[in-house]
């Protein structure tokens, strides 16, 4: 019964244009398949998987950059596991009450609530810590496995796709949900990029400059929840966090500026995703695992490139100028 | 961009009334009442652990007093959100130590309170480059902050505060790690900023620098031991009382 997932009537008109978009994308891919003769591009499910993969390659390192530089690399893992609890809740509700809700929707909701909880707890205790993160992670996973085992009947069959991800089970519905998440994430980061950068780099100075640090942190963790649930379809619960961390770690080895590091991390992630999907298709392996292995490979190359870069540019330092009060920094013309 | 002037000239930039604060049950500062008028140059001195940095955090609204009230430009300090009016340089920069980010990108943040969700205009970038020039860091603009020495990092953070074109600049031991010649130049820079009408609050362990440059001295050790003109401070025994010794010699550092 999990094969046929009917969206509640409210969401249907919202997703309409996205189905159209997915159709256009699919036609485009079919065209590419005809022109190139690539077998991998002939199937509808691969069209959706590639689109989802490309989106993951942008949004995961984008959000990951803000997390990694705040020493929050593990929060993605914790939220993915609560997302799994959300999936289980969705499957449970569908089985017991015949709701027909996509489990990805319940996963988004549960993960976002968990994200807010982690953030609010850290605000009151004044620290993110490994322990609270580990507790949230295991609670999420325990809740998920318990709910699934209660309903073991028909449910356990569908669980593997959530745990390990699966290219061939990316349905039109879940691809549409991912596009919605993708749009929200890109939109919010686009609007608040200055604030997120300031809070990430220097929380105290950001607070003095009038930013509500707590609110930007809450926004950040909720975006993280959206990313991990969105990426879960292909990457799976267990490996999804790697996409938030590994390309970003690679990018910080070679990039000099923050903007450059954003760009490089997206490029590295896309390389891993595109190659990974192709390799897993032809090699008949699980996409999530292959993508992460490739991402780690790309990371190692980035580390080497970074070392090489340092060795080549040498250590010459430019002349430091004097602090010169004469050039008056406070004069402006407007 | 010109600073806002939405309240009258006699509204204190900083006002603390009967403020007490402690991280635990023991107060770190107590019975603090003071007001800083726009345009003043104030030095805050006191022994290590006397609550100087805590006082600064209370002033800026980073901490809320347990008792009493703290106001910034007439607004309760913790609610104050017109960041374009305040510039701040921390003692040990709280900033991320590993992030890939250039000096220019750091200084750019000084403009964020002015641009909000928008982009920096050509004028904003001009202010950024001018601030870099003022602290002598133009040649380092495209360097990664992680490659800098402590003193260079500190200069970058000073440039960020300058780029904000704030009315009130708060420095918490800003010259830690900065080389000696540059320290003198830095205090000259503060004098110029003060002459331009900017309110300067300087927290310093170097008593000589404070007595030489600040107009008014606040001497702190949990409570206020002195608050008045620098000349009076030099003549008083406030320092000895605050440091709990009679052997403290001014300018001996």
């Amino acid at each position: 019964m999990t094969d046929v997932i009917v969206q509640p009537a409210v969401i249907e008109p919202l997703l309409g244009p996205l189905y159209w978009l997915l159709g256009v994308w699919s036609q485009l891919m079919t065209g590419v398949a005809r022109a190139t003769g690539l077998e991998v591009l002939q199937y509808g499910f691969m069209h959706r998987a590639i689109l989802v993969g490309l989106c993951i390659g942008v949004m995961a390192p984008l959000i990951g950059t803000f997390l990694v530089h705040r020493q929050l690399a593990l929060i993605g893992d914790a939220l993915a596991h609560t997302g799994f609890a959300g999936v289980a809740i969705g499957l449970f509700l569908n089985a017991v009450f015949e709701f027909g809700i996509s489990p990805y929707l319940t996963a988004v909701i549960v993960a976002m609530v968990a994200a807010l909880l982690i953030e609010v707890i850290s605000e009151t205790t004044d620290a993110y810590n490994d322990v609270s993160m580990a507790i949230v992670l295991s609670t999420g996973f325990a809740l998920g496995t318990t709910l699934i085992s209660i309903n073991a009947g028909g449910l356990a069959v569908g669980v593997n796709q959530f745990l390990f991800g699966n290219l061939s089970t990316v349905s039109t519905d879940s691809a549409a949900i991912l596009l919605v998440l993708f749009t929200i994430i890109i939109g919010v980061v686009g609007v608040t990029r200055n604030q997120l950068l300031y809070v990430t780099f220097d929380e105290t100075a950001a607070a003095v400059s009038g930013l509500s640090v707590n609110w930007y942190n809450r926004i950040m963790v909720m975006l993280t929840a959206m990313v991990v649930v969105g990426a879960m379809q292909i990457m799976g619960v267990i490996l999804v966090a790697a996409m938030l961390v590994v390309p970003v770690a690679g990018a910080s080895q070679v990039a000099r500026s923050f903007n450059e590091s954003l760009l490089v991390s997206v490029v590295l992630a896309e390389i891993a995703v595109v190659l990974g999907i192709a390799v897993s298709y032809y090699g008949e392996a699980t996409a999530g695992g292959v993508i992460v292995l490739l991402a780690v490979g790309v990371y190692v190359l980035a580390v080497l490139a970074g070392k090489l870069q340092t060795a080549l540019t040498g250590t010459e330092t430019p002349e430091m100028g004097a602090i010169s009060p004469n050039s008056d920094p406070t004069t402006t013309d407007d | 961009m010109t600073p806002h002037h939405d309240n009258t000239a006699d509204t204190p930039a900083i006002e603390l009334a009967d403020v007490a604060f402690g991280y635990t049950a023991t107060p770190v500062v107590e019975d603090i009442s003071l007001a800083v008028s726009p345009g003043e140059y104030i030095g805050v001195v006191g022994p290590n652990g006397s609550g100087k940095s805590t006082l600064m955090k209370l002033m800026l609204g980073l901490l809320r007093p347990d008792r009493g009230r703290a106001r910034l430009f007439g607004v309760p300090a913790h609610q104050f959100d017109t960041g374009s009016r305040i510039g701040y340089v921390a003692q040990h920069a709280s900033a991320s130590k590993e992030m890939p980010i250039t000096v220019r990108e750091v200084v750019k943040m000084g403009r964020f309170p002015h641009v909000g969700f928008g982009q920096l205009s050509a004028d904003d970038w001009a202010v950024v480059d001018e601030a870099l020039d003022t602290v002598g860091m133009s040649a380092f603009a495209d360097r990664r902050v992680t490659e800098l020495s402590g003193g260079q990092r500190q200069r970058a953070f000073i440039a960020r505060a300058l780029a904000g074109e704030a009315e009130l600049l708060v420095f918490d031991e800003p010259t830690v790690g900065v080389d000696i010649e540059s320290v003198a130049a830095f205090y000259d820079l503060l004098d110029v900023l003060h002459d331009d009408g900017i309110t300067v609050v300087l927290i310093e362990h170097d008593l000589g620098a404070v007595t030489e440059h600040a107009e008014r001295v606040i001497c702190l050790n949990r409570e206020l031991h002195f608050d008045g003109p620098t000349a009076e401070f030099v003549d008083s025994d406030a320092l000895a009382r605050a440091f709990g010794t009679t052997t403290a010699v001014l300018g001996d550092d």
Side-chain angles (χ1 to χ4, degrees):
Chain A
M1 71 164 296
T2 49
D3 295 335
V4 190
I5 292 164
V6 190
Q7 293 300 326
V10 198
I11 299 165
E12 199 72 59
L14 272 172
L15 295 183
L18 295 172
Y19 291 130
W20 175 81
L21 200 71
L22 285 167
V24 172
W25 170 258
S26 201
Q27 280 169 10
L28 186 78
M29 284 286 106
T30 313
V32 176
R34 278 207 201 95
T36 58
L38 283 172
E39 185 199 333
V40 61
L41 297 180
Q42 284 170 0
Y43 307 102
F45 72 86
M46 284 309 287
H47 299 164
R48 291 190 293 273
I50 290 169
L51 182 65
V52 169
L54 291 176
C55 290
I56 294 171
V58 174
M59 64 188 189
L62 181 68
I63 297 299
T65 299
F66 293 104
L67 296 178
V68 166
H69 298 305
R70 310 195 60 187
Q71 326 290 330
L72 280 178
L74 277 179
I75 200 173
D77 220 5
L79 293 179
H81 284 75
T82 60
F84 178 67
V87 165
I89 290 172
L91 295 175
F92 185 83
L93 291 177
N94 286 344
V96 177
F97 302 106
E98 305 192 359
F99 269 7
I101 297 173
S102 163
Y104 284 114
L105 270 185
T106 48
V108 173
I109 294 164
V110 171
M112 284 176 73
V113 170
L116 262 186
L117 268 178
I118 294 178
E119 174 57 29
V120 171
I121 289 171
S122 82
E123 281 165 23
T124 46
T125 59
D126 243 10
Y128 289 100
N129 58 62
D130 301 0
V131 179
S132 63
M133 221 80 98
I135 291 173
V136 170
L137 186 151
S138 359
T139 311
F141 207 67
L143 185 62
T145 48
T146 307
L147 280 178
I148 281 166
S149 64
I150 289 175
N151 262 22
L155 287 183
V157 185
V159 168
N160 268 3
Q161 82 182 68
F162 299 105
L163 279 182
F164 303 109
N166 196 329
L167 290 180
S168 59
T169 55
V170 177
S171 66
T172 318
D173 287 334
S174 50
I177 291 173
L178 179 109
L179 285 178
V180 172
L181 295 175
F182 181 78
T183 313
I184 294 173
I185 290 160
I186 299 296
V188 173
V189 173
V191 171
T192 61
R193 70 208 180 285
N194 288 349
Q195 289 74 13
L196 293 177
L197 170 61
Y198 211 162
V199 170
T200 303
F201 180 67
D202 190 342
E203 214 175 87
T204 314
V208 173
S209 87
L211 297 182
S212 170
V213 171
N214 285 348
W215 269 108
Y216 286 104
N217 285 342
R218 289 171 202 165
I219 289 175
M220 200 66 232
V221 291
M222 286 200 282
L223 292 178
T224 308
M226 291 184 192
V227 169
V228 292
V229 175
M232 231 162 74
Q233 315 182 28
I234 285 189
M235 302 302 302
V237 167
I238 298 167
L239 288 174
V240 68
M243 289 311 281
L244 291 168
V245 177
V246 181
V248 176
S252 5
Q253 297 292 321
V254 288
R256 185 185 295 169
S257 71
F258 184 74
N259 289 337
E260 203 177 297
S261 80
L262 276 180
L263 187 71
V264 172
S265 64
V266 169
V267 170
L268 297 186
E270 292 294 1
I271 291 173
V273 165
V274 172
L275 282 180
I277 289 178
V279 169
S280 71
Y281 176 82
Y282 288 108
E284 291 173 21
T286 314
V290 176
I291 291 171
V292 171
L293 287 178
L294 283 169
V296 172
V298 170
Y299 164 74
V300 172
L301 289 179
V303 172
L304 295 176
K307 297 269 183 249
L308 199 66
Q309 202 180 30
T310 323
L312 288 179
T313 50
T315 51
E316 93 280 4
T317 358
E319 192 71 13
M320 193 162 46
I323 295 180
S324 53
N326 298 336
S327 65
D328 182 356
T330 61
T331 319
T332 42
D333 300 321
D334 51 348
Chain B
M1 231 180 243
T2 45
H4 309 255
H5 290 290
D6 45 316
N7 36 29
T8 52
D10 44 336
T11 306
I14 297 168
E15 190 183 5
L16 299 179
D18 246 342
V19 164
F21 177 84
Y23 297 97
T24 57
T26 321
V28 178
V29 292
E30 61 182 338
D31 291 336
I32 308 281
S33 293
L34 61 89
V36 178
S37 304
E40 279 193 288
Y41 186 162
I42 291 190
V44 180
V45 298
N48 285 335
S50 58
K52 297 193 294 288
S53 292
T54 303
L55 183 73
M56 181 216 67
K57 286 181 180 152
L58 288 162
M59 288 173 168
L60 291 173
L62 293 171
L63 294 172
R64 291 180 68 170
D66 296 336
R67 278 202 314 277
R69 65 193 179 109
R71 294 176 95 83
L72 260 178
F73 296 105
V75 180
H78 68 278
Q79 286 171 6
F80 187 80
D81 62 357
T82 318
S84 57
R85 300 179 75 174
I86 318 176
Y88 157 76
V89 178
Q91 179 180 7
H92 302 291
S94 50
S96 163
K97 301 274 194 295
E98 293 101 31
M99 200 162 139
I101 187 165
T102 63
V103 171
R104 198 159 180 257
E105 282 178 315
V106 170
V107 178
K108 176 180 87 170
M109 293 177 192
R111 298 307 297 167
F112 284 172
H114 297 269
V115 300
F117 297 117
Q119 285 191 317
L120 270 72
S121 65
D123 286 348
D124 290 313
W125 281 114
V127 175
V128 167
D129 291 332
E130 206 176 335
L132 275 169
D133 192 44
T134 303
V135 299
M137 289 289 285
S138 296
F140 288 82
D142 294 323
R143 289 263 158 163
R144 242 175 103 149
V145 170
T146 46
E147 295 170 2
L148 303 183
S149 71
Q152 290 167 341
R153 272 173 70 91
Q154 205 59 8
R155 285 185 185 215
F157 289 114
I158 292 165
R160 180 175 70 186
L162 296 180
E165 298 184 308
E167 296 160 60
L168 166 66
L169 290 176
V170 179
F171 298 93
D172 188 0
E173 309 213 358
T175 56
V176 170
V178 178
D179 59 292
I180 292 172
E181 300 93 272
S182 306
V183 169
F186 170 73
Y187 286 117
D188 290 342
L189 171 64
L190 289 198
D191 286 341
V192 171
L193 294 169
H194 171 233
D195 290 342
D196 286 343
I198 290 172
T199 316
V200 177
V201 175
L202 172 67
I203 291 161
E204 228 347 316
H205 65 285
D206 178 357
L207 292 168
V210 170
T211 51
E212 192 180 331
H213 294 275
E215 298 172 326
R216 175 177 152 197
V217 173
I218 288 170
C219 184
L220 183 78
N221 193 357
R222 198 161 55 87
E223 42 196 29
L224 290 184
H225 284 261
F226 182 86
D227 180 2
T230 307
E232 274 178 38
F233 173 71
V234 175
D235 296 334
S236 75
D237 64 343
L239 195 62
R241 284 189 287 114
F243 282 77
T245 165
T246 50
T247 55
V249 180
L250 269 190
D252 179 39
D253 49 60

